Amino acid sequence: MSREVRVRFAPSPTGPLHIGGVRTALYNYLFAKKTGGKFLLRIEDTDQNRFVPGAEEYIKDSLEWLGIAPDESPWNPGSVAPYRQSERKADYMQYALDLVEKGHAYYAFDTAEELEAMRERLTAARVVTPQYNSITRTQMKNSLTLSEEEVKERLASGEPYVIRVKIPRKEEVRMNDLIRGWVMVHSSTLDDKVLMKSDGMPTYHLANIVDDHLMDITHVIRGEEWLPSAPLHVLLYKFFGWEDTMPEFAHLPLLLKPDGNGKLSKRDGDKLGFPVFPLNWENKESGETAAGFREQGYLPEALLNFLAFLGWNPGDEREIFSKEELIEAFSIERIGKAGTKFDIAKAKWYNEQYIRTKSNQELASQVIADAANDGMELSQEKAEAIVALTKERVTFASEMWSENKFLLIAPTSFDEQVASKKWNEDAVKVLEHYAGSIEAHSGDFDGATAKSLLENSAAAVEVKLGKVMQAVRLAVTGAGAGPDLMEIFAILGAKEVATRIKFAIESLPVAG
RNA sequence: GGUCCGUUCGUCUAGGGGUUAGGACGCAUCCCUUUCACGGAUGAAACACGGGUUCGAUUCCCGUACGGACUACCA
């Protein structure tokens, strides 16, 4: 019988959520929604040394910003609470002890120095992979080599210990990965991983199996970096006797650096000039900061669409997908196997696409806010006019203002290259006539009016309009390129345009 | 080093025994246009290599090369 799909995203709160983690969360989310299942979030905070305050909040904010908030989480618990591993601390020992009882795990008392000595010894003996395993454990201090009496004494005396899994010497461990197919590993290459640390906390390996079992997880969708430890996890399910409800595994291809090679890492953001985190991050204690996609001006729906296509595609030629369309189209079968380079140019393209689908009215608020930051007050009407003129030319919404401030600020200098080429007697004649005619003009000064008056002026002085258009633009905006000039005139108003033209005629000498 | 995973244009990818190997980003050219963009059109650009299997392999198998992950009392 098939259970309701339950998937989880399980980050550890050690800092800002990496963009690769965001994609993992997204695929989990999409799969859950596609199958009518549940998407849970579990905080894996079993490493007390690496805990970073604020990280959990950051994870929550990031997922909410992207619209992929979990159905169950520490702040919105379902029936399988707790959703923080630290809050389940007491339970794990019972499970570890159960394994000890069954002969699948054992106590180990080796100190860090002794472990190090063991590795050195093995390296010296030219053992290729020094590890704590079925062979070396016979020479270490553990409940397999010590007498029962001594083990009891050590435990009673409070001596620090760990619990290690007892990996069988010869066994083929098989796992059917949903993305990669059958993966087979021989148990002799696995080591006796620590299950319970000496601080009483479980390691990831134990906690993740116990929690997935307790939380009734049906599919584990996680990064490829976990593939090597998946056989251990399969073995643990078997040792616990939970094979029947063991989740299916899907190991996602990694996100790679855009240039060169290697996994995209947290430091790459600053180096490569684009964010690797969803939101800005600041650690007040360490002073560590990181740039976020949101603050750089990426729309959440654009980032989501971009991320979804990093390693997955719908199999047809569509590129633009809303969240709902992604859910509809998503399937694990269509996730690729190979690592994916992170191409920020494509992310920008997606952002451009999504900006264009926004209404002028919606975008106007951004322009108004940006202008206000520059100490300028903009009416809704004027802001919308600016949006209409600029939204198809920008990558980020903020550029509608930052790249187009000149609309409201009169130029004090003029592009020299354009001036030398286009500024001439004809242009000045047209502009002088035009300035006079718009000053005399009463009534609406919209784009069409501005244009017909300009055409009249050109005709009046017998000059072809096309010949002087660049000069007109230069006179009013100071630049040789930009949005539709007549619409700019409409925004500026007749009076301002005339003033600017007169200033330009005074400032710019006619060459030759 | 060992174990595991991978390899189609620069990038993201579709495809899959017989195709002009398709799309998108980026790039180039042209068109549109008052400029720059947008938009439209066009173009350059890929099956890592070597063996098999086969009438025929980019596709299936095996090697090789290259890349990646993992190799902690971190997740």
Side-chain angles (χ1 to χ4, degrees):
Chain A
M1 83 162 226
S2 65
R3 296 184 281 166
E4 179 196 49
V5 166
R6 289 171 65 81
V7 295
R8 86 298 197 278
F9 176 55
S12 55
T14 55
L17 184 58
H18 185 262
I19 199 71
V22 175
R23 191 198 55 167
T24 300
L26 171 60
Y27 284 8
N28 273 282
Y29 174 91
L30 293 175
F31 182 66
K33 297 303 161 186
K34 169 76 180 187
T35 55
K38 290 279 190 297
F39 171 50
L40 358 190
L41 184 132
R42 181 172 73 223
I43 297 292
E44 308 230 327
D45 54 352
T46 54
D47 186 351
Q48 297 163 324
N49 300 321
R50 294 209 306 162
F51 177 79
V52 173
E56 191 178 309
E57 191 67 14
Y58 182 95
I59 291 164
K60 177 177 190 281
D61 293 346
S62 298
L63 298 184
E64 283 175 0
W65 175 61
L66 283 163
I68 55 173
D71 299 305
E72 300 174 20
S73 66
W75 45 88
N76 180 29
S79 58
V80 295
Y83 290 76
R84 274 185 207 93
Q85 291 185 327
S86 59
E87 294 171 13
R88 208 190 279 283
K89 182 176 177 181
D91 297 347
Y92 298 113
M93 183 56 92
Q94 294 312 311
Y95 287 98
L97 259 19
D98 176 42
L99 251 27
V100 172
E101 197 124 314
K102 289 173 173 163
H104 293 306
Y106 58 91
Y107 298 99
F109 302 95
D110 314 280
T111 64
E113 292 72 30
E114 287 166 336
L115 289 171
E116 183 54 29
M118 180 264 279
R119 287 190 196 102
E120 275 172 25
R121 205 166 59 238
L122 292 176
T123 306
R126 285 198 239 156
V127 172
V128 279
T129 30
Q131 54 183 17
Y132 209 119
N133 60 21
S134 63
I135 303 191
T136 55
R137 68 178 166 235
T138 60
Q139 289 143 26
M140 305 300 287
K141 288 198 310 200
N142 53 54
S143 60
L144 266 18
T145 59
L146 269 20
S147 71
E148 203 171 316
E149 278 305 300
E150 191 170 355
V151 170
K152 272 186 189 154
E153 266 172 42
R154 284 176 187 255
L155 292 176
S157 73
E159 185 176 332
Y161 67 93
V162 300
I163 294 178
R164 285 180 182 271
V165 61
K166 188 179 170 192
I167 297 288
R169 191 188 299 262
K170 299 195 260 192
E171 186 172 327
E172 286 190 345
V173 186
R174 288 164 198 282
M175 186 204 52
N176 191 207
D177 187 274
L178 260 17
I179 294 172
R180 284 149 221 286
W182 284 100
V183 175
M184 200 272 283
V185 170
H186 198 93
S187 66
S188 62
T189 65
L190 269 26
D191 63 342
D192 289 355
K193 282 265 183 296
V194 170
L195 262 22
M196 289 297 295
K197 300 185 267 190
S198 55
D199 65 358
M201 277 292 206
T203 59
Y204 169 82
H205 300 108
L206 206 225
N208 127 78
I209 270 60
V210 169
D211 284 357
D212 284 348
H213 174 71
L214 261 23
M215 297 174 136
D216 210 11
I217 297 301
T218 59
H219 301 260
V220 170
I221 304 170
R222 79 235 287 198
E224 192 186 343
E225 67 266 31
W226 294 109
L227 195 49
S229 56
L232 165 66
H233 302 159
V234 169
L235 235 27
L236 287 172
Y237 278 103
K238 190 180 146 197
F239 292 162
F240 279 120
W242 298 338
E243 293 120 309
D244 292 350
T245 53
M246 183 173 84
E248 301 217 62
F249 292 97
H251 290 93
L252 268 20
L254 263 14
L255 257 31
L256 272 18
K257 300 176 201 292
D259 61 337
N261 296 299
K263 183 160 80 156
L264 190 65
S265 69
K266 297 196 169 189
R267 295 232 168 68
D268 292 325
D270 303 326
K271 242 183 315 191
L272 300 166
F274 60 82
V276 293
F277 301 103
L279 276 32
N280 272 4
W281 164 260
E282 188 186 352
N283 183 340
K284 298 217 165 61
E285 283 174 19
S286 66
E288 173 202 23
T289 61
F293 277 92
R294 184 226 260 158
E295 288 78 3
Q296 298 250 314
Y298 288 88
L299 266 13
E301 53 269 54
L303 219 212
L304 205 72
N305 199 156
F306 168 68
L307 245 26
F309 272 68
L310 249 31
W312 172 87
N313 78 86
D316 56 37
E317 289 177 351
R318 292 175 297 161
E319 300 276 340
I320 304 295
F321 280 72
S322 66
K323 189 175 82 179
E324 286 66 32
E325 289 167 328
L326 286 173
I327 292 168
E328 175 61 33
F330 190 77
S331 75
I332 291 181
E333 292 73 52
R334 296 207 62 88
I335 295 174
K337 295 176 170 68
T340 302
K341 287 187 181 162
F342 195 86
D343 179 17
I344 199 66
K346 192 90 176 230
K348 287 181 177 171
W349 177 78
Y350 270 112
N351 211 54
E352 289 163 2
Q353 301 307 307
Y354 278 91
I355 283 177
R356 281 167 209 164
T357 66
K358 299 256 181 204
S359 71
N360 294 354
Q361 190 192 359
E362 200 176 349
L363 256 15
S365 56
Q366 166 103 29
V367 173
I368 290 172
D370 290 343
N373 266 337
D374 278 345
M376 231 176 272
E377 218 170 291
L378 241 48
S379 68
Q380 176 74 18
E381 192 190 5
K382 210 161 228 187
E384 283 185 29
I386 293 173
V387 170
L389 233 42
T390 57
K391 79 170 173 185
E392 299 212 326
R393 329 165 49 84
V394 299
T395 298
F396 303 113
S398 62
E399 291 169 350
M400 290 186 296
W401 176 250
S402 66
E403 305 289 307
N404 294 288
K405 293 179 190 183
F406 65 82
L407 292 186
L408 299 192
I409 302 165
T412 52
S413 66
F414 301 87
D415 187 306
E416 282 177 31
Q417 277 213 327
V418 180
S420 70
K421 272 196 187 151
K422 305 286 183 181
W423 191 256
N424 53 41
E425 268 179 46
D426 282 349
V428 172
K429 273 196 284 182
V430 174
L431 282 166
E432 277 172 339
H433 187 282
Y434 187 53
S437 94
I438 58 180
E439 277 184 318
H441 174 75
S442 60
D444 270 4
F445 188 66
D446 57 18
T449 309
K451 185 162 191 183
S452 76
L453 289 174
L454 218 208
E455 281 165 348
N456 291 345
S457 293
V461 299
E462 296 182 322
V463 169
K464 282 214 163 147
L465 184 56
K467 291 255 183 201
V468 298
M469 204 62 189
Q470 283 284 82
V472 176
R473 173 180 293 279
L474 182 73
V476 179
T477 70
D484 188 295
L485 228 209
M486 296 307 118
E487 293 304 323
I488 293 174
F489 282 16
I491 290 173
L492 291 175
K495 194 171 162 226
E496 172 69 9
V497 172
T499 305
R500 290 190 185 186
I501 287 173
K502 283 189 253 175
F503 175 74
I505 292 171
E506 278 167 34
S507 332
L508 277 172
V510 175

